[in-house]
Amino acid sequence: MAAVIRKLLPFPSPNPKRDNRESDDDDETSSGYRIEYSFASEYKGPLIANVPRALPVEVDQIPTALPVSFSSLRSGISYPVAPLVMTKDTKRPPDSGIEKKNGFVDSAAGSSVVLIGRDVVSGSSSSSSSKRLDVPEEVKSPADFRLSPSSPLSASAREEDHLDDDRVSDVGPRAVRFVEPFQSSECDESSYVSDGESIAATHRAERKGKRGSCYRCQLGNRFTEKEVCIVCDAKYCFNCVRRAMGAMPEGRKCQACIGYRIDESKRASLGKCSRMLKRHLTDSELRQVMNAEITCKANQLPSRLIIVNDKPLSEDELYTLQTCPNPPKKLKPGHYWYDKVAGYWGKIGEKPSQIISPNNSIGGYISEKVSNGDTEIYINGREITKPELTMLKWAGVQCEGKPHFWVDSDGSYREEGQKHPIGNIWSKKRAKIACAVFSLPVPPASSAVEPYDVPLYEQKMLNKLLLIGSEKGGATTIYKQARSLYNVSFSLEDRERIKFIIQTNLYTYLAMVLEAHERFEKEMSNDQSSGNVGDETSAKPGNSINPRLKHFSDWVLKEKEDGNLKIFPPSSRENAQTVADLWRVPAIQATYKRLRDTLPRNAVYFLERILEISRSEYDPSDMDILQAEGLSSMEGLSCVDFSFPSTSQEESLESDYQHDTDMKYQLIRLNPRSLGENWKLLEMFEDADLVIFCVSLTDYAENIEDGEGNIVNKMLATKQLFENMVTHPSLANKRFLLVLTKFDLLEEKIEEVPLRTCEWFEDFNPLISQNQTSRHNPPMAQRAFHYIGYKFKRLYDSILEPVNMRGRSFKPKLFVCQVSLESDTVDNALRYAREILKWHVEETSMFQEMSTTSIEASSSS
Amino acid sequence: MSVSELKERHAVATETVNNLRDQLRQRRLQLLDTDVARYSAAQGRTRVSFGATDLVCCRTLQGHTGKVYSLDWTPERNRIVSASQDGRLIVWNALTSQKTHAIKLPCAWVMTCAFSPNGQSVACGGLDSVCSIFSLSSTADKDGTVPVSRMLTGHRGYVSCCQYVPNEDAHLITSSGDQTCILWDVTTGLKTSVFGGEFQSGHTADVLSVSISGSNPNWFISGSCDSTARLWDTRAASRAVRTFHGHEGDVNTVKFFPDGYRFGTGSDDGTCRLYDIRTGHQLQVYQPHGDGENGPVTSIAFSVSGRLLFAGYASNNTCYVWDTLLGEVVLDLGLQQDSHRNRISCLGLSADGSALCTGSWDSNLKIWAFGGHRRVI
């Protein structure tokens, strides 16, 4: 690619012979450091007379070209008709010619200017300059440059015009055209270039047969039913219509006319077909064709043909105009003027025809002569016409002394430069009567009251819930639960991948058992060697592993040490039998039984079913997926769309409290590790509505190694992550829901390891009543949960700045709820998230202050 | 050999490496008595000046509904592919601003996209850690979903950047959050080589950007969160050819200089730098005046001659045009008419150099080129 460019563009090539690396370093410092950059160097050759030099551009001196000679199109008569058949001897309409060569310059003269500095003039002669800056100085060479004066009359005289003098055209805007050296290669682009609004010549079809006959088969008379092409007016009979019009991708057009603009006189009939066509096509076909006819781009009103205040509209502007509350009626191509302040709308040179919605930013500035008035009285900078003056007089407006008025859209008027309105034109009924008499427009009924903007906040249909948590923090479990809860099953590929992971995990678990087995064996042999010779029986199971299995188990252990377990499952078909055999060995079983209580729960779950899972045709069940570890580490991100099924309990609620069942929620599981350094990519999730931060309740009893190799309490690491997330700029002003997971595990753990193990929870000092049977004495786990939640809330409260919302400041709260492996709790948590979102919306819309509930009160359980 | 002994030796080796690196830096500083800007100022160069209409926004490509994160031009025809957070890839005709394809992605968090050299297919990658290839000739179904023609799976982190090897439709280089770059064979969907990762000479943090040399397709540069850029030779994946230090923040973007002997970088520290791959020197730092006010550099592009460097910054809608010779800002696209209303996230120059395309978080793309006239509003 670059090679091609270099061929095209004569910039000085790097000096390959002087390779600086070759020369030694000292040389570099002195003279050798004159590295020949391949920046374009200054031209030092002989003087060239006409170096294309860009003058400091003065906006008004540039021969700006209106892209298209609109005036010529408007009249439409002197327009050079280009029948498609005989392209050779007809002149191409000037506008399409301009279109074709348009580079990137917006609808006007373009050149393919290479983006280089102007003082970088390469040594190339002017032959290459057509690729460089093409500036008006070059006008002299007609090959490069062509002017097409665009007054309507000169369309035919165009050729002479541009031959005799280039600078004649003070007549009007000129079209400047640059010819690129690679015309031919660009020609194929010309079909694209149309931009949907190119002004292709609308041609008339010629009838070959007698009047009233079909244009194609020349049969029939004027009474035969025929369908008309909306471009060229050709009429086809029942037999020919499909042949002539084909599939009608743009509605009723001959195949040759597809892509062309429709005949303006037929605009009214868009989407209305003859009965014949209805018979011809099936209903669905007809609907499609008619729909295409109305909506397809080529059939739209070309925005550039509508010129408002001397400026052709862009598509956006036309759209604005057509969709404003009071659009101009029967908009046709042509020149219009528009008074943006008061909303007056009329044809150029005529009095106002309508009052449309004011303040649309369309078109150019209004000039004083647009309505051809001669009264010397001005309204919003436009000289008004006689009828208008009379009307003003009837309305009681003082018009002595040729005043200049400013009129607002509601009709109140004031003198130019004055602050206070003098009165309102429409306050007197006579004004409207006068308007009726002089056929002047009156303001539309609704103009006084602009349509009230009802949606203050747009009801979002998709809420994004961001699920963040540290490794093994239970976030993935929530994600998986949500999938099974709301019936969003995993796709086939996903299941395949999950199966892969489960099987990999299985080998890891197996390796754990084998390791333990080896350890036990060693202990036993040590025991043996220490003297108990007679104790043969205890050593027996260890020896009963046959060599093949021994080899296999050694291999598994070795692979585990190398971290290569990932490559296992592909070979697991062959290994399945071996695994089964190995598992049946009594020694392994014995080890497993001894080990069972110390193994992680998931390991036990899967090892119980090792025979089934190790098979290659194993298909993971939902429960398996829930139990599987390490799904998150495989992928950086997983997301699921779901909506809440309504429950009977909710239906009994008042409608105000009910949730929109159509509301979609997107749960995005993020692995903090996958977000790059410093969670750089978190900015992608700026639009999330709620952040669900998952913390495993059992973290307090675990230690992990941090980046520097120090052992830290996992809860503290999680706390650090939490702080980082809460203070991350991308998540500012987001609601946080803290989900404390693995509550069921906590219940077991709290008995073994006191909560105070973690230094953050040192002051956990539950009041334990002596009366153990008292029902006021909640279980320890419950207390621990509340305490941890409380700690996080305090933390959240301390790091967060109060949010200033519409003049009031309040501190957002942290919401807390708990979750265990049961699906109900996850459902509850997610429904709680939904409530929070709803509160949030209400808060922002009605700016209610947060209720003064205490920090502790909002936890649900 | 015991573990403690190994650790000791490792510490010693690390220190030696650091010492050597320091010496190298000292030596370089000693040798580097000037930079491009001072030298060319001494040569009496004058800065590029822009007239009012030399670079104007002449197209606004509207159609995305989310932040635009990446764009790429076709080599010869005037088409652009852009990737946005609304989960779509859109292929545009830059001349007419028409959309020719809109591809719905399975994963909405896309970070990069690229056009194949023949313009027949586009590649994209993102947080799903997969680089997906879509063929533009395949037909879309009702929802605009084009079947993925190839999934390049293997990265263990997000795919931050992808680029086709020039003139080879079958090869693609991706960079990823797993600290590696991978050269792929698209036809088979397999890795040809992996750069970095386990090896010491690889990046030690997420790789954010790659750029392949136009003159020598075997060379490519990668920029990473470890604030270095590295030069790789695709034929020798085992180690980086050269490591370029200098930046004080994540290197967000790298781009080869048109001649293929230099490259530019843009970083979180708010500077752009120009390095020479033959000497390994840092030739020039492009730092806007007034420290701290400019955010990280998000994207850079060179003009075809290399005289101009376009750099998009994370703060507001700043996009400076630097004179690479004099190290001065000659234009700020953010202050031009019709400029973006949000951060400019990606930049790209068309192959012939006649137009610049910018993509922004305001969900629009804009084409900048020489304007024959200035649009008056």
Side-chain angles (χ1 to χ4, degrees):
Chain A
M1 163 177 141
V4 179
I5 296 163
R6 208 158 323 144
K7 258 178 243 158
L8 299 183
L9 297 163
F11 63 79
S13 62
N15 203 340
K17 297 215 173 114
R18 258 200 70 86
D19 196 337
N20 285 319
R21 267 182 83 182
E22 243 75 297
S23 64
D24 69 350
D25 286 345
D26 291 326
D27 183 36
E28 248 175 63
T29 47
S30 53
S31 66
Y33 198 65
R34 291 179 45 210
I35 295 169
E36 297 285 328
Y37 295 109
S38 66
F39 300 111
S41 62
E42 221 159 313
Y43 176 68
K44 285 182 183 142
L47 264 171
I48 295 172
N50 3 325
V51 176
R53 181 168 286 268
L55 292 186
V57 185
E58 294 211 28
V59 178
D60 44 359
Q61 280 186 9
I62 301 170
T64 44
L66 277 184
V68 174
S69 51
F70 297 94
S71 45
S72 69
L73 287 162
R74 184 163 151 259
S75 58
I77 305 153
S78 65
Y79 198 81
V81 174
L84 282 183
V85 217
M86 20 185 206
T87 41
K88 265 180 193 168
D89 50 352
T90 43
K91 294 157 203 137
R92 187 191 282 150
D95 6 83
S96 62
I98 292 159
E99 279 282 320
K100 201 159 277 186
K101 296 303 166 317
N102 248 345
F104 289 94
V105 183
D106 186 22
S107 65
S111 70
S112 71
V113 175
V114 184
L115 287 176
I116 47 164
R118 240 172 315 139
D119 57 342
V120 189
V121 175
S122 75
S124 61
S125 68
S126 55
S127 66
S128 72
S129 62
S130 59
K131 255 297 185 184
R132 299 258 156 170
L133 286 168
D134 281 346
V135 282
E137 253 66 7
E138 272 199 325
V139 162
K140 292 290 180 267
S141 86
D144 277 352
F145 215 85
R146 196 154 50 140
L147 297 172
S148 343
S150 55
S151 73
L153 303 171
S154 59
S156 54
R158 192 166 41 90
E159 267 172 3
E160 294 87 55
D161 252 5
H162 89 261
L163 281 177
D164 53 28
D165 193 357
D166 296 312
R167 301 195 178 266
V168 272
S169 51
D170 40 351
V171 189
R174 307 184 300 177
V176 182
R177 196 169 69 101
F178 297 80
V179 178
E180 287 175 344
F182 302 106
Q183 249 187 63
S184 53
S185 67
E186 301 251 324
C187 272
D188 56 336
E189 289 284 356
S190 59
S191 56
Y192 286 114
V193 175
S194 61
D195 201 357
E197 43 173 288
S198 79
I199 297 86
T202 43
H203 61 103
R204 292 263 145 191
E206 276 175 58
R207 192 199 305 264
K208 297 199 184 79
K210 60 182 188 297
R211 284 196 71 195
S213 65
C214 169
Y215 276 52
R216 193 170 174 279
C217 57
Q218 283 107 42
L219 296 176
N221 53 41
R222 71 175 64 177
F223 298 111
T224 7
E225 272 189 299
K226 287 183 284 292
E227 191 56 87
V228 185
C229 167
I230 49 176
V231 176
C232 66
D233 205 27
K235 301 182 182 69
Y236 300 106
C237 68
F238 187 87
N239 292 328
C240 302
V241 67
R242 275 316 277 268
R243 286 188 197 138
M245 295 193 182
M248 302 187 226
E250 295 184 350
R252 295 164 294 157
K253 292 179 178 181
C254 321
Q255 275 164 335
C257 297
I258 286 171
Y260 286 89
R261 217 152 54 69
I262 62 165
D263 186 356
E264 281 306 320
S265 63
K266 293 202 172 52
R267 183 164 297 286
S269 73
L270 270 189
K272 294 168 196 156
C273 63
S274 70
R275 228 179 282 158
M276 184 193 89
L277 203 64
K278 281 182 192 155
R279 268 185 286 135
H280 207 294
L281 300 175
T282 63
D283 273 355
S284 64
E285 265 182 317
L286 190 74
R287 223 176 303 128
Q288 205 183 345
V289 167
M290 287 301 124
N291 195 27
E293 186 170 302
I294 294 169
T295 55
C296 93
K297 218 170 170 193
N299 292 359
Q300 298 309 311
L301 196 59
S303 62
R304 316 164 71 169
L305 296 190
I306 295 176
I307 297 161
V308 176
N309 298 343
D310 278 335
K311 191 163 167 275
L313 296 188
S314 71
E315 261 173 69
D316 290 341
E317 287 174 327
L318 180 65
Y319 180 76
T320 324
L321 184 64
Q322 283 174 326
T323 52
C324 72
N326 295 305
K329 288 167 195 149
K330 291 177 190 157
L331 195 61
K332 282 185 190 143
H335 286 253
Y336 296 95
W337 58 265
Y338 172 46
D339 179 348
K340 283 174 202 175
V341 184
Y344 284 103
W345 174 269
K347 284 200 165 180
I348 288 276
E350 289 174 26
K351 62 186 183 186
S353 61
Q354 201 187 345
I355 299 180
I356 65 166
S357 301
N359 301 327
N360 290 323
S361 55
I362 52 167
Y365 290 114
I366 192 165
S367 66
E368 49 190 59
K369 286 291 176 195
V370 283
S371 54
N372 241 347
D374 51 358
T375 53
E376 291 180 53
I377 292 173
Y378 289 81
I379 284 182
N380 296 339
R382 171 181 62 93
E383 196 168 356
I384 61 174
T385 52
K386 278 233 172 74
E388 282 176 280
L389 176 63
T390 327
M391 189 278 283
L392 282 184
K393 281 182 179 158
W394 279 36
V397 179
Q398 292 296 322
C399 297
E400 275 79 43
K402 316 293 179 202
H404 292 197
F405 289 116
W406 281 351
V407 178
D408 281 346
S409 54
D410 60 355
S412 64
Y413 62 95
R414 66 196 77 175
E415 278 212 44
E416 219 169 275
Q418 300 297 309
K419 198 175 173 190
H420 298 289
I422 305 171
N424 194 317
I425 299 177
W426 311 114
S427 61
K428 295 209 173 115
K429 273 194 178 154
R430 271 160 49 195
K432 293 196 177 172
I433 298 166
C435 286
V437 171
F438 297 110
S439 62
L440 283 171
V442 291
S446 61
S447 86
V449 189
E450 282 292 308
Y452 177 59
D453 284 355
V454 189
L456 274 175
Y457 58 94
E458 208 160 279
Q459 188 68 273
K460 287 177 70 171
M461 289 317 280
L462 183 71
N463 283 306
K464 292 187 177 171
L465 313 176
L466 211 55
L467 196 57
I468 304 180
S470 54
E471 291 284 299
K472 302 199 175 169
T476 313
T477 313
I478 293 182
Y479 169 74
K480 288 184 287 189
Q481 282 278 18
R483 270 204 111 115
S484 68
L485 263 175
Y486 307 116
N487 294 324
V488 191
S489 54
F490 285 93
S491 70
L492 270 178
E493 294 118 54
D494 283 340
R495 290 192 98 88
E496 197 59 37
R497 224 178 48 239
I498 290 164
K499 176 181 152 190
F500 181 92
I501 293 166
I502 289 179
Q503 290 183 338
T504 314
N505 288 346
L506 189 70
Y507 281 93
T508 321
Y509 302 143
L510 186 64
M512 284 159 100
V513 175
L514 292 174
E515 243 171 18
H517 172 75
E518 255 183 20
R519 209 167 55 234
F520 292 148
E521 226 172 52
K522 216 175 260 174
E523 280 168 17
M524 267 180 236
S525 59
N526 283 348
D527 287 350
Q528 276 175 12
S529 58
S530 66
N532 286 346
V533 189
D535 202 359
E536 280 286 306
T537 44
S538 65
K540 215 174 182 180
N543 298 335
S544 65
I545 298 182
N546 73 35
R548 185 174 67 97
L549 296 180
K550 180 74 187 156
H551 175 76
F552 177 76
S553 76
D554 285 349
W555 182 48
V556 169
L557 286 175
K558 188 174 160 292
E559 294 294 301
K560 193 202 173 201
E561 252 163 48
D562 296 353
N564 283 346
L565 274 177
K566 290 248 148 62
I567 56 164
F568 252 93
S571 59
S572 86
R573 185 189 290 275
E574 303 90 70
N575 289 336
Q577 193 52 45
T578 324
V579 169
D581 289 346
L582 188 64
W583 192 245
R584 288 201 193 94
V585 171
I588 302 288
Q589 279 293 327
T591 318
Y592 172 62
K593 289 217 172 73
R594 273 177 73 176
L595 212 62
R596 218 181 135 142
D597 294 333
T598 55
L599 280 176
R601 245 179 15 164
N602 306 357
V604 176
Y605 176 86
F606 286 111
L607 282 175
E608 289 286 306
R609 299 169 44 216
I610 185 165
L611 299 184
E612 179 195 341
I613 294 170
S614 59
R615 276 195 207 113
S616 57
E617 59 270 13
Y618 158 72
D619 185 31
S621 69
D622 280 355
M623 196 58 195
D624 292 351
I625 294 174
L626 272 183
Q627 291 279 0
E629 289 180 297
L631 291 190
S632 61
S633 61
M634 280 301 282
E635 49 211 303
L637 167 144
S638 34
C639 75
V640 57
D641 286 13
F642 65 92
S643 56
F644 289 101
S646 58
T647 59
S648 55
Q649 187 196 348
E650 268 176 17
E651 272 160 18
S652 60
L653 286 170
E654 276 180 61
S655 60
D656 277 1
Y657 296 103
Q658 273 184 10
H659 292 273
D660 193 350
T661 45
D662 295 338
M663 191 79 93
K664 286 269 184 201
Y665 294 85
Q666 188 173 45
L667 192 67
I668 307 160
R669 159 79 182 117
L670 277 182
N671 192 343
R673 243 189 10 194
S674 73
L675 287 179
E677 310 274 310
N678 300 323
W679 303 281
K680 198 171 182 147
L681 304 178
L682 212 55
E683 63 189 24
M684 285 200 177
F685 300 94
E686 266 181 343
D687 56 346
D689 298 283
L690 179 80
V691 183
I692 302 177
F693 192 87
C694 294
V695 176
S696 164
L697 279 168
T698 53
D699 273 359
Y700 75 95
E702 289 164 35
N703 289 323
I704 53 162
E705 205 172 307
D706 71 358
E708 283 97 52
N710 305 321
I711 304 290
V712 285
N713 188 292
K714 204 171 162 203
M715 188 56 98
L716 292 182
T718 312
K719 179 189 163 203
Q720 186 60 45
L721 179 69
F722 179 74
E723 281 174 19
N724 287 331
M725 285 296 154
V726 169
T727 52
H728 197 282
S730 298
L731 298 181
N733 299 330
K734 292 267 180 295
R735 287 313 162 93
F736 276 80
L737 170 65
L738 182 72
V739 174
L740 298 172
T741 57
K742 304 195 182 167
F743 185 71
D744 42 348
L745 289 183
L746 179 73
E747 284 170 335
E748 296 163 18
K749 203 99 179 187
I750 197 95
E751 304 298 328
E752 300 160 21
V753 190
L755 195 61
R756 280 188 239 178
T757 316
C758 170
E759 57 216 79
W760 192 30
F761 300 137
E762 260 176 352
D763 55 346
F764 177 63
N765 200 3
L767 202 72
I768 300 171
S769 143
Q770 294 301 312
N771 185 2
Q772 287 294 325
T773 52
S774 163
R775 61 192 179 87
H776 297 297
N777 207 12
M780 192 61 122
Q782 195 67 29
R783 286 163 179 241
F785 158 70
H786 278 291
Y787 176 76
I788 294 174
Y790 166 76
K791 273 300 214 185
F792 268 102
K793 283 181 174 181
R794 286 295 293 271
L795 175 70
Y796 185 75
D797 211 43
S798 64
I799 42 183
L800 217 69
E801 300 287 312
V803 176
N804 210 345
M805 190 183 283
R806 307 194 191 185
R808 293 166 179 233
S809 75
F810 72 91
K811 273 199 168 182
K813 283 200 316 175
L814 178 70
F815 302 91
V816 179
C817 70
Q818 69 176 27
V819 149
S820 58
L821 201 60
E822 275 86 60
S823 59
D824 284 0
T825 57
V826 175
D827 191 29
N828 279 337
L830 290 173
R831 282 178 193 271
Y832 187 46
R834 179 174 64 161
E835 294 293 335
I836 295 167
L837 283 176
K838 194 166 163 100
W839 297 334
H840 188 50
V841 167
E842 279 167 6
E843 247 164 44
T844 45
S845 61
M846 313 197 298
F847 50 98
Q848 274 178 343
E849 189 111 353
M850 289 290 295
S851 62
T852 52
T853 44
S854 67
I855 290 178
E856 284 87 350
S858 69
S859 61
S860 80
S861 51
Chain B
M1 205 180 285
S2 70
V3 174
S4 60
E5 199 180 330
L6 272 175
K7 272 190 176 161
E8 209 170 277
R9 289 179 63 168
H10 178 253
V12 171
T14 316
E15 209 183 311
T16 319
V17 168
N18 284 339
N19 276 340
L20 284 173
R21 197 172 282 162
D22 221 44
Q23 279 179 29
L24 192 69
R25 192 177 302 136
Q26 296 293 336
R27 181 76 178 146
R28 278 200 190 286
L29 279 178
Q30 203 184 332
L31 294 176
L32 205 65
D33 59 340
T34 183
D35 59 13
V36 175
R38 262 178 281 162
Y39 178 74
S40 40
Q43 295 286 304
R45 305 274 182 162
T46 49
R47 60 181 236 162
V48 176
S49 62
F50 270 91
T53 59
D54 285 356
L55 193 58
V56 295
C57 170
C58 51
R59 293 274 190 283
T60 300
L61 308 183
Q62 290 177 318
H64 280 301
T65 57
K67 300 173 198 165
V68 178
Y69 262 79
S70 176
L71 65 88
D72 193 29
W73 288 79
T74 40
E76 67 283 340
R77 307 190 52 198
N78 292 306
R79 287 189 297 161
I80 297 174
V81 62
S82 63
S84 154
Q85 291 291 285
D86 59 8
R88 279 183 191 277
L89 289 183
I90 296 186
V91 180
W92 310 81
N93 184 323
L95 283 176
T96 64
S97 52
Q98 276 172 323
K99 306 181 248 299
T100 54
H101 297 81
I103 301 168
K104 197 164 184 304
L105 298 174
C107 171
W109 293 274
V110 57
M111 297 172 69
T112 178
C113 59
F115 241 121
S116 71
N118 63 6
Q120 293 299 310
S121 50
V122 289
C124 72
L127 288 189
D128 58 354
S129 314
V130 176
C131 183
S132 322
I133 315 268
F134 296 91
S135 169
L136 293 183
S137 47
S138 54
T139 48
D141 65 3
K142 283 196 294 285
D143 317 328
T145 347
V146 174
V148 184
S149 65
R150 181 70 66 191
M151 303 258 277
L152 307 178
T153 53
H155 274 302
R156 295 183 181 193
Y158 57 89
V159 176
S160 54
C161 186
C162 63
Q163 199 192 343
Y164 276 92
V165 178
N167 304 323
E168 290 180 49
D169 289 310
H171 290 103
L172 177 83
I173 296 181
T174 57
S175 66
S176 159
D178 62 6
Q179 314 182 355
T180 64
C181 300
I182 295 184
L183 172 68
W184 301 90
D185 189 323
V186 178
T187 41
T188 59
L190 297 174
K191 301 174 193 177
T192 305
S193 23
V194 181
F195 306 92
E198 303 101 278
F199 303 105
Q200 275 299 305
S201 60
H203 282 292
T204 54
D206 302 10
V207 187
L208 295 178
S209 173
V210 289
S211 174
I212 306 172
S213 166
S215 55
N216 181 356
N218 289 319
W219 281 354
F220 75 96
I221 288 284
S222 62
S224 156
C225 281
D226 61 9
S227 68
T228 64
R230 282 168 211 249
L231 171 70
W232 303 86
D233 191 319
T234 51
R235 294 162 297 191
S238 57
R239 56 187 294 274
V241 176
R242 207 182 268 276
T243 305
F244 300 87
H245 297 272
H247 276 296
E248 287 144 20
D250 305 355
V251 178
N252 289 330
T253 170
V254 290
K255 195 77 90 189
F256 254 105
F257 200 75
D259 68 354
Y261 292 118
R262 275 156 275 271
F263 70 93
T265 55
S267 157
D268 264 358
D269 62 13
T271 62
C272 299
R273 288 167 203 244
L274 186 67
Y275 292 92
D276 192 307
I277 62 170
R278 292 170 298 186
T279 63
H281 277 315
Q282 171 184 304
L283 300 177
Q284 179 66 41
V285 182
Y286 302 100
Q287 183 158 31
H289 295 298
D291 305 24
E293 70 183 84
N294 266 289
V297 181
T298 56
S299 181
I300 59 167
F302 285 103
S303 67
V304 168
S305 69
R307 182 69 193 263
L308 300 178
L309 167 69
F310 302 91
Y313 291 81
S315 54
N316 299 328
N317 54 0
T318 317
C319 178
Y320 287 141
V321 182
W322 290 91
D323 184 328
T324 46
L325 271 190
L326 290 161
E328 289 175 41
V329 177
V330 287
L331 194 70
D332 182 0
L333 291 186
L335 303 177
Q336 300 290 104
Q337 251 177 15
D338 297 331
S339 65
H340 284 291
R341 287 186 299 279
N342 205 337
R343 169 189 298 194
I344 291 177
S345 52
C346 47
L347 294 168
L349 232 72
S350 69
D352 63 351
S354 63
L356 170 77
C357 184
T358 55
S360 159
W361 281 13
D362 67 6
S363 78
N364 290 336
L365 294 117
K366 285 181 190 290
I367 311 255
W368 305 79
F370 174 78
H373 72 297
R374 193 187 181 95
R375 249 170 77 182
V376 183
I377 291 182

